[in-house]
Every structure is written in structure tokens, then in C-alpha cells.
Amino acid sequence: MHLLLLLGKNVIRKIIRTSFLGKFFSPIRQMIVTTDYVEVQYKNQETRQFSYQQSQGIAQRQQGFWGSRFSWHVAGQLLDYSLLNQEDLNDCFEQIVQASTVALNQNLVQSLKNFQTLAVQQYLRESSLATLQDTLVPLLQNYVTSQSIWQKQLHPEMLQQLDQMLSYLPLDQGKSVLRQQYEQQQLQQRQSFFEHIESNPLTEQQRLAVIRNDDRNLVLAAAGTGKTSVMVAKALDLIDSGLARRHEILILAYNNAAAKELRERLQKRSQSCGIAPEDCPEVMTFHALGRSILQQEKSSTHLSVFTEDPTKLEIWMTEWLSNYIQSDPDGLSRFIELSYQPVNAFDFKTKAEYDRYVRDHEYRTLQGERVRGYQELLIANWLFLHGITYQYEAPYITKRRIELGFDYRPDFYLTDAKVYLEHFGIDRQGKTRVDIPSQEYNAIIRKKRELHQSCGTTLLETYHYDWTENRLEKRLAQLMQQQQIPVTQKSAQEIFDVLNQAGMISSTAKRYVKSLAAIRVERLDRAAILKRLQQQNIAFAGRYADLLDQIHQAYCKKLQDDCSIDFDDMILQATDLIQPDAFHPQWKHILVDEFQDISMARMQLLQALIQQGPSPILTVVGDDWQSIYRFSGGKLELTTRFSDLVGSHSLTKLEKTYRYNNSIALTAGRFVMQNPEQYQKNVVTAAQVEQSAVYLLDSHTTDNQTLEDQVVQLIREIRQENTTASIAVLARYRYLLDNVKGRVRSTYSNIAY
């Protein structure tokens, strides 16, 4: 018996019932077959329709003793039902096969067309892999499992294409082959362009950097390898090959000078490929881009006076700190506390390490002396704040100090009380810093005590362990009480006046201006500030974070009150405006120069452009070996950890340089690659030398020859060998370089410093 439901002209619904056992064990009640779809009605009252247009395979059947089995790949899943009524299924099976095969063939044609577009006619993007994985791969997998059936139903030409596609599976491996095939194809087709776009033909590495158009593309360009040529060639290639129009390309440069150079190069080189200068893409700095977005969205672009005159920002910061110190009950003590970073001398492993720290970190007291360490600083400031006059390291009053074997200068001399105070660097077991012999140090302590006793002078003692046990101030108070030395706390106004006159507030303001710049450029909130401070092992991190966050909020309010923005706002506010209901970017290609110096704020602007844009392709060019703008927020890790922080990408290394010789390349490479975070590069130089071209001179020499004499002598020897040799002098400290300049310039010219 056959059940036919007549629903109107040319619309017939055939019913496939379950077998007798299917009534008990099948999950479905019945299937309804129409000319457009197959409907499955489940016993749980759910009903689902599967259109033939979603077919990903050819319907199959199997006869069984207890009923027939029906299977069909459709809409990303496998319909597989057994225990069906054999007569019902046979009656409509050919209709299903014919309809599913026609739709399958159409889907195959469309999927293969998409494959040609996404993987053959252009560089296979990572985002396109997902599309192919969802559309083409299921079809190919179904073909493999049902190959004999497909071969009976599909055209031989279609089967041949499917067999060819199978060679690219799995796509995670086949994508490399597809990309290499595209690269080779483009190297041939675009050969003339690559030969003439610059004054010299592009190298193969440069050509590949132009060709590769993944979603994200990182071009690592060693110094002198032609990164600007790549930027120019890539932009013009997009236009010349018809991949993009000028308004669909955005080129971002780090600063105005770099933007100007790129514009000029584009204008000049566009003529070599027949592109009119007015058809060249736009080049902007990040700030110019941000300002343009703000203007388009009718937001204020009035620049703050702080951007025009940085000194005014320092003045504002000084005034804010002064108000903070005077108005906040804890402001004064907090300011003094945060003006210094504590350090435990026992943490140093060697004397050289300790000496280097002392050399690079100045501890200057509220009274103005430069002391030798943090604990001496605490003592000096405590004495000053409590009205106790003192001299730091004044000579011991008696000539008998020479009996100690050195010019004895006690740490502190309390002038009114005529009492000496020594701070001894020992723990409770008498142990000293690792580079100081404990026995000798303790012997000197005993000699000092004996000297004071024999001379009738009073020696007060504090110890390293007083500080580590957080009782140094309590110890000082006890000593003053024992000696009946008057302690008079200075008033807040007196202390403020001293801080102000000593320039501590203004100097601290300069430091906080730098901190504010980092907070702004990296968009740090209080939690992020705290995390950053803790990562750097900064003491009092919580209190520092509170103060810096207050400064940032006050600064933002100042800008708001003045109805103005700063350079950071150009980027920050523009980023916030890139939304579907506000600014909607239309760029399909974004090229970024000097990416190694990009800040987090700039990166977030880029991410907003990408997320809200028409799936643009991002190409960044930079060199992790040349990152020099960390002080202004540059985040080198965005380059060195590009995969983790930005995403999957193509990587091209430009390693042939024309700027320096192999000796300099080898020395610089060995030095930089000591850092495991840096990319490994095999820099090849056009200029080759047999002898070293790098010379290391030490300012500390055993003979009488000065550093300046050494430099002049070396330059003389180099110029004797090569009168036109280019020479650069590098120095660790500016004063060393200034001394060398003064001497060398009187004898030689054309020297870079």
C-alpha cells in the first residue's frame, strides 16, 4: 500500500513509514518526501526539513530483513535511519537520488568555484580556510567514503577535479602547497612589475613580501634590506593588479618624516608602472588617522596646550602634586615614601653588582646629601623630619682616627648633641653583604667602639636587621630618648617648603609625566598599573598605583574641562568611535611601517579597524632588532610574539642588506640574538670584508693613553687603509661621546656619532 498526499498542482508528498520493529525501536515516526525537501518527523514531536539544495552526498539505501536503511549527507550531517518500510522507501528512492544528485552537482560546482577564487586566484588566507573547511572539505570526505556511487552519478570531468582536490587534504597541510603554487605563479606573472617598480629589481624575498596576502602578514626587514621598497611595491602592486583601488588601501607610518618619505617614493615609483600620482593610496601617521576619524565624527580636535608646550604639562603636574601634598592628610608622607625605592644590600650577589646599582641610583636626602644606601637615607630623613641637626660622614674629631687604618668618618654626627651614629650592615648573626668579609667587618666595628670609648665620645648604633625587622624608626626614637636628645617634629608646611626649595616636587613631577605618558599610550587602568608595577618588583606597588591612577584621572578631567585633546586622545578616542553605528572603515588593505615600535594604543586602533572593516588584510613591516621607542610606549613583544598577540600570519624575512658589511652584520647578530625573544635572522651583506670592522675600546686602560687618543689612532689606521671608509662611533654614555667628538672633529670629518 502506498500513501500519497496531494497538496495542490504538481506538489506530491510521499510518506515513508517505519517497519513493524521500527515502530518500537526507530527514533522517527515517518519521513515525508516532496519535490523540494525531505521531512523527518521524530517520535519526540520534533520535525526537521532537509532541502535538496543542502545536499552534500548521494542518497543510499540498503535492504534488510527487518526493514530498509536510508542514508544521506545533507546540511552538514548524516541522516542515517534503519527499520524503514521497504516498499515505501523503494517507491520514492529514485526521486531522492535524482534530486540530491542534481543539488550535489550544483554545490560541487559552487564549492570548486569558491576554491579557485580563495586558493588559486589569490593567496590563501587563514580566514578562507574556515570557509573551505565548512563547504568543500565535507564534500570531499563524503566523496572518499562513497566513491563508487559518486562515480556512477557524476560527470568524469567533475570526478577528475575532485581527485585533484583530494591531494590538498588535510587543508592544514595542503595550505602550504597551495600558497607556494600561488607564489610561483605570481612571481612569473608579475615579473616585469617586480623588475621595474624600483630603480633596482626587487629581491626574491621582497617579491614574496609583496605577493603574500594572508589575513595578517609580518615582514621582518633587517636594516638596509629595503623595507620601504616593499611598502611602496606592495601598495602599487595592489592597484596595478586590480586587487584594490587607492581608497581601499591605508598606509600608516610611525611619524611625519616617515610618512613624507613614503608619499614621495609612491609618487615617484608610480610612474614606472603607469599609475597616475593622484591614484596613489593615502599615507598617514596614526595620529593623523585618529584626528581624521574624530573630524568625520564631529568630535573635538582642539589640541591641549600640553601638546604644544611640554613644560606646561610639567608645571601642571608640579602644581597637582603640591596640592596633593598639602590637601591630602597622608599626601606628604606618601610623597616622601614613594620618592625612593628601597633596596636590600644583602640581595646583591657580587660587589660589582652592588657598585653598579649605587652608581645608577642616587639616594639624596631631604637635607640634600647624597648618601650611600637606602637605609642611610631613611635615617637621615628621620633625623631631619624630627628636628635633629646632623652632618653626614663628617671627619671624626680626633686625630686618633688614623689608628683604625683609614680616614674614619662616622655615618652621622648629631651636632647639637655631639653624638655619633653608625649604621652597621650586619644581621643578628653578624653576617654581612656577600662581598664583604664578615670577620673583618665585625673587627672594624669593635675597633670603632674601642676608639669612641677611649676618646670619650658617644657612639649610637643601628643595624641592618633593624630595617629588615621594620623597627628602624622605633630604634632611632629609643636612642634619642636614651640620650635625652630633643625630638621636635617639623610641621607639614616646613617640610613642604624644604621639598619645594630642593626641587624634589618638580623633579618628581617630571618622572610622573613619563609615567602618565605610559599609562595613556597603553590604556592602563589601576589594575593594569598595579600589575605592571608588581611585575617590575616595585616597592609600595599598591600605593604607587593609587597615586598614578589619581594623576591620570585628574589629567583626563583637565583635558575635559579645557574641551581639548592630546596626541594620545587622537588615537584613544578614535578607537572608541570605530563602531557599527559610528565610524565604519572601508579599507581592504592596511600597511603599517616600523611595526616594532608600535604601542598598545596604536595596536588597539588597528584591531578596531580590522574588526569593524570589510575583513581587511593587515601587512606590517618592521625589525625587532631596531626597536628604539620603548620609552614612548613601543611594545616590541607585539612583533616578537606576533603569533600569540596578533594571530596566525605569513612571515617573510628580508635578510640581504646593502647598508653594512658582513663583519658588522655578524657582530650585531651575535649580540642581538643573545636574547631568545628575538627572531633569528641570517643577514647576508652585499659588501664583504675579510677583517673585522668592529672595534671595542675601553675607557679604563692600564697605560696612559686616553680614550680619545685610542679613537683618533684607530680612525687614522682605518683611513690609511681606506680613505673613503664610513665610520660610526658609538658610546654607552653621552659624556664619553662628547669628549671623543671634541677631539676627533678637530682632525677628521665625516664621522657619525
Side-chain angles (χ1 to χ4, degrees):
M1 180 178 68
H2 305 282
L3 291 180
L4 302 179
L5 300 179
L6 304 180
L7 302 178
K9 185 177 180 180
N10 298 327
V11 179
I12 300 177
R13 298 179 61 175
K14 297 181 179 180
I15 297 178
I16 303 175
R17 297 164 296 179
T18 59
S19 65
F20 176 76
L21 287 179
K23 297 181 186 299
F24 302 99
F25 299 108
S26 175
I28 69 172
R29 289 192 303 108
Q30 62 183 14
M31 295 170 59
I32 297 177
V33 180
T34 75
T35 54
D36 297 322
Y37 59 84
V38 173
E39 180 177 290
V40 181
Q41 297 178 356
Y42 297 88
K43 290 180 179 178
N44 63 2
Q45 305 304 315
E46 181 184 1
T47 298
R48 298 185 63 188
Q49 291 183 352
F50 299 93
S51 169
Y52 295 120
Q53 299 303 317
Q54 297 174 296
S55 178
Q56 294 175 313
I58 300 173
Q60 301 179 45
R61 66 179 171 181
Q62 288 180 322
Q63 307 290 350
F65 182 78
W66 304 108
S68 295
R69 179 179 180 181
F70 171 81
S71 61
W72 178 33
H73 286 279
V74 60
Q77 59 183 292
L78 173 63
L79 300 185
D80 190 0
Y81 303 115
S82 56
L83 301 178
L84 298 176
N85 183 286
Q86 181 173 314
E87 187 177 359
D88 290 351
L89 179 59
N90 290 342
D91 182 57
C92 57
F93 181 70
E94 290 303 323
Q95 175 186 338
I96 299 175
V97 169
Q98 183 178 359
S100 64
T101 303
V102 170
L104 171 64
N105 197 69
Q106 293 172 346
N107 291 336
L108 284 171
V109 170
Q110 184 60 47
S111 294
L112 293 174
K113 182 179 179 181
N114 289 341
F115 177 82
Q116 287 290 318
T117 301
L118 298 177
V120 177
Q121 297 172 2
Q122 66 181 30
Y123 190 89
L124 179 57
R125 298 171 62 173
E126 203 68 23
S127 58
S128 298
L129 283 174
T131 302
L132 296 177
Q133 198 74 41
D134 293 339
T135 57
L136 180 61
V137 171
L139 294 171
L140 293 175
Q141 291 173 337
N142 295 340
Y143 170 57
V144 171
T145 58
S146 307
Q147 199 162 357
S148 60
I149 296 174
W150 285 41
Q151 288 173 346
K152 295 177 182 178
Q153 300 290 337
L154 299 180
H155 193 278
E157 185 178 340
M158 175 63 72
L159 295 171
Q160 184 179 359
Q161 292 184 62
L162 292 176
D163 289 333
Q164 182 181 356
M165 292 300 100
L166 289 176
S167 64
Y168 299 121
L169 294 185
L171 273 182
D172 284 342
Q173 298 176 12
K175 64 183 180 182
S176 298
V177 176
L178 288 165
R179 287 166 176 167
Q180 289 173 7
Q181 289 176 349
Y182 177 79
E183 289 170 0
Q184 293 304 312
Q185 169 195 327
Q186 289 299 300
L187 285 173
Q188 293 179 7
Q189 291 183 3
R190 304 292 295 165
Q191 181 177 358
S192 177
F193 176 88
F194 294 141
E195 294 285 342
H196 301 99
I197 190 60
E198 278 286 359
S199 54
N200 293 309
L202 298 185
T203 66
E204 182 172 339
Q205 291 175 329
Q206 290 174 322
R207 298 180 190 203
L208 290 174
V210 172
I211 291 170
R212 289 169 179 163
N213 280 316
D214 203 345
D215 297 305
R216 312 286 179 267
N217 306 277
L218 173 60
V219 181
L220 290 176
T225 56
K227 70 177 181 63
T228 304
S229 295
V230 167
M231 293 282 289
V232 170
K234 192 173 187 75
L236 295 177
D237 177 71
L238 291 171
I239 296 173
D240 185 63
S241 61
L243 292 176
R245 292 172 290 179
R246 68 174 301 275
H247 66 272
E248 295 174 327
I249 303 171
L250 172 64
I251 302 177
L252 291 170
Y254 187 81
N255 53 35
N256 288 324
K260 182 175 182 291
E261 180 187 1
L262 279 169
R263 288 192 201 99
E264 292 174 349
R265 288 281 290 274
L266 280 167
Q267 296 282 329
K268 181 178 180 180
R269 302 316 308 173
S270 64
Q271 301 173 19
S272 64
C273 58
I275 297 176
E278 60 269 19
D279 290 332
C280 289
E282 190 170 10
V283 182
M284 289 190 284
T285 64
F286 279 89
H287 289 115
L289 171 63
R291 189 169 190 173
S292 173
I293 293 173
L294 293 177
Q295 289 173 338
Q296 291 183 53
E297 295 304 310
K298 310 301 181 184
S299 296
S300 172
T301 57
H302 175 66
L303 282 176
S304 167
V305 294
F306 297 151
T307 63
E308 300 170 357
D309 187 355
T311 301
K312 290 185 178 180
L313 178 57
E314 293 179 2
I315 293 173
W316 175 85
M317 183 69 76
T318 302
E319 292 175 350
W320 188 91
L321 285 174
S322 298
N323 292 332
Y324 168 79
I325 292 171
Q326 293 178 301
S327 60
D328 191 309
D330 298 322
L332 180 60
S333 59
R334 185 70 49 79
F335 176 84
I336 295 174
E337 178 185 55
L338 298 182
S339 295
Y340 310 100
Q341 272 297 293
V343 61
N344 189 340
F346 279 43
D347 290 340
F348 294 99
K349 301 297 187 292
T350 64
K351 184 177 187 302
E353 184 181 342
Y354 175 76
D355 289 343
R356 185 163 55 250
Y357 182 87
V358 172
R359 180 194 66 198
D360 295 339
H361 295 79
E362 179 178 275
Y363 285 111
R364 195 162 296 275
T365 70
L366 297 176
Q367 191 167 286
E369 306 99 349
R370 180 175 181 176
V371 294
R372 298 181 184 276
Y374 179 70
Q375 294 172 36
E376 287 188 351
L377 174 90
L378 294 179
I379 295 171
N381 285 350
W382 189 91
L383 294 173
F384 173 79
L385 293 172
H386 291 82
I388 301 171
T389 58
Y390 70 88
Q391 290 180 331
Y392 178 68
E393 290 192 342
Y396 189 54
I397 58 173
T398 175
K399 294 182 179 180
R400 289 185 57 190
R401 64 179 182 269
I402 60 175
E403 295 177 4
L404 287 175
F406 57 86
D407 185 15
Y408 179 39
R409 294 172 178 266
D411 294 330
F412 298 94
Y413 177 58
L414 312 188
T415 53
D416 291 342
K418 295 182 173 53
V419 169
Y420 294 93
L421 189 153
E422 283 271 30
H423 183 69
F424 294 126
I426 57 173
D427 62 14
R428 285 196 176 273
Q429 287 72 44
K431 294 181 180 179
T432 57
R433 207 172 66 220
V434 66
D435 60 297
I436 298 177
S438 296
Q439 290 185 348
E440 294 181 15
Y441 188 83
N442 281 278
I444 291 175
I445 292 176
R446 289 191 294 271
K447 287 184 178 181
K448 289 181 178 180
R449 289 170 177 165
E450 292 170 359
L451 177 62
H452 282 280
Q453 186 175 7
S454 64
C455 293
T457 53
T458 301
L459 174 64
L460 308 180
E461 299 180 15
T462 57
Y463 310 97
H464 171 75
Y465 59 79
D466 288 327
W467 177 71
T468 59
E469 295 172 6
N470 200 28
R471 57 185 301 275
L472 180 58
E473 292 188 359
K474 183 178 181 180
R475 168 73 174 166
L476 288 168
Q478 290 173 343
L479 291 174
M480 299 305 111
Q481 185 178 12
Q482 291 172 6
Q483 296 298 317
Q484 297 183 346
I485 299 174
V487 174
T488 305
Q489 180 77 41
K490 287 187 180 295
S491 69
Q493 187 60 48
E494 287 179 297
I495 299 171
F496 174 80
D497 291 341
V498 169
L499 293 174
N500 202 21
Q501 292 170 7
M504 284 189 64
I505 299 177
S506 58
S507 62
T508 302
K510 292 180 180 179
R511 188 170 77 247
Y512 285 155
V513 164
K514 294 179 181 178
S515 300
L516 176 63
I519 292 170
R520 298 279 292 163
V521 79
E522 298 190 49
R523 306 195 76 170
L524 303 179
D525 57 14
R526 191 217 175 260
I529 296 171
L530 176 61
K531 182 179 179 181
R532 185 72 57 85
L533 294 171
Q534 290 173 336
Q535 288 174 340
Q536 297 298 320
N537 296 319
I538 300 297
F540 319 120
R543 278 165 273 184
Y544 253 124
D546 289 338
L547 178 58
L548 291 174
D549 189 50
Q550 289 182 54
I551 291 173
H552 183 215
Q553 292 181 29
Y555 176 77
C556 291
K557 186 177 185 303
K558 172 64 176 173
L559 294 179
Q560 186 177 6
D561 292 344
D562 293 345
C563 297
S564 62
I565 63 172
D566 62 7
F567 287 122
D568 294 316
D569 276 328
M570 288 184 184
I571 295 175
L572 301 178
Q573 293 185 18
T575 302
D576 294 336
L577 284 172
I578 301 175
Q579 301 292 339
D581 57 347
F583 181 82
H584 191 66
Q586 299 298 317
W587 296 293
K588 294 182 179 180
H589 291 267
I590 302 174
L591 282 62
V592 182
D593 192 17
E594 303 291 2
F595 186 77
Q596 76 278 356
D597 292 318
I598 194 171
S599 66
M600 186 57 69
R602 287 176 170 86
M603 189 65 226
Q604 290 173 346
L605 175 59
L606 279 179
Q607 290 171 334
L609 292 173
I610 292 169
Q611 291 168 3
Q612 300 300 328
S615 299
I617 291 173
L618 173 67
T619 299
V620 303
V621 181
D623 182 11
D624 56 309
W625 291 13
Q626 297 186 72
S627 179
I628 58 174
Y629 284 100
R630 184 177 180 181
F631 68 90
S632 61
K635 300 288 287 184
L636 178 59
E637 55 264 41
L638 287 170
T639 300
T640 57
R641 296 177 55 209
F642 196 88
S643 292
D644 298 331
L645 301 178
V646 181
S648 178
H649 62 284
S650 75
L651 174 63
T652 308
K653 295 181 181 180
L654 307 184
E655 296 175 312
K656 185 171 184 179
T657 181
Y658 300 88
R659 185 172 298 174
Y660 46 86
N661 57 46
N662 57 308
S663 173
I664 296 175
L666 180 62
T667 304
R670 283 178 175 173
F671 176 77
V672 173
M673 286 190 288
Q674 294 300 309
N675 181 356
E677 291 290 321
Q678 306 283 169
Y679 283 97
Q680 300 291 307
K681 300 192 190 79
N682 298 311
V683 179
V684 178
T685 63
Q688 297 286 318
V689 296
E690 295 182 358
Q691 296 181 335
S692 174
V694 179
Y695 305 88
L696 181 63
L697 302 180
D698 194 342
S699 59
H700 300 285
T701 58
T702 56
D703 54 26
N704 294 325
Q705 191 178 34
T706 66
L707 179 63
E708 294 80 6
D709 292 336
Q710 295 180 64
V711 173
V712 170
Q713 180 180 336
L714 186 54
I715 292 175
R716 183 184 304 116
E717 294 173 359
I718 294 173
R719 286 287 168 83
Q720 286 175 351
E721 292 289 331
N722 183 355
T723 57
T724 61
S726 58
I727 301 173
V729 180
L730 305 178
R732 174 65 179 86
Y733 299 106
R734 183 179 296 276
Y735 77 89
L736 292 175
L737 201 58
D738 290 340
N739 293 341
V740 169
K741 280 183 184 179
R743 176 67 185 280
V744 173
R745 281 178 174 171
S746 62
T747 310
Y748 296 99
S749 59
N750 298 326
I751 306 292
Y753 300 93

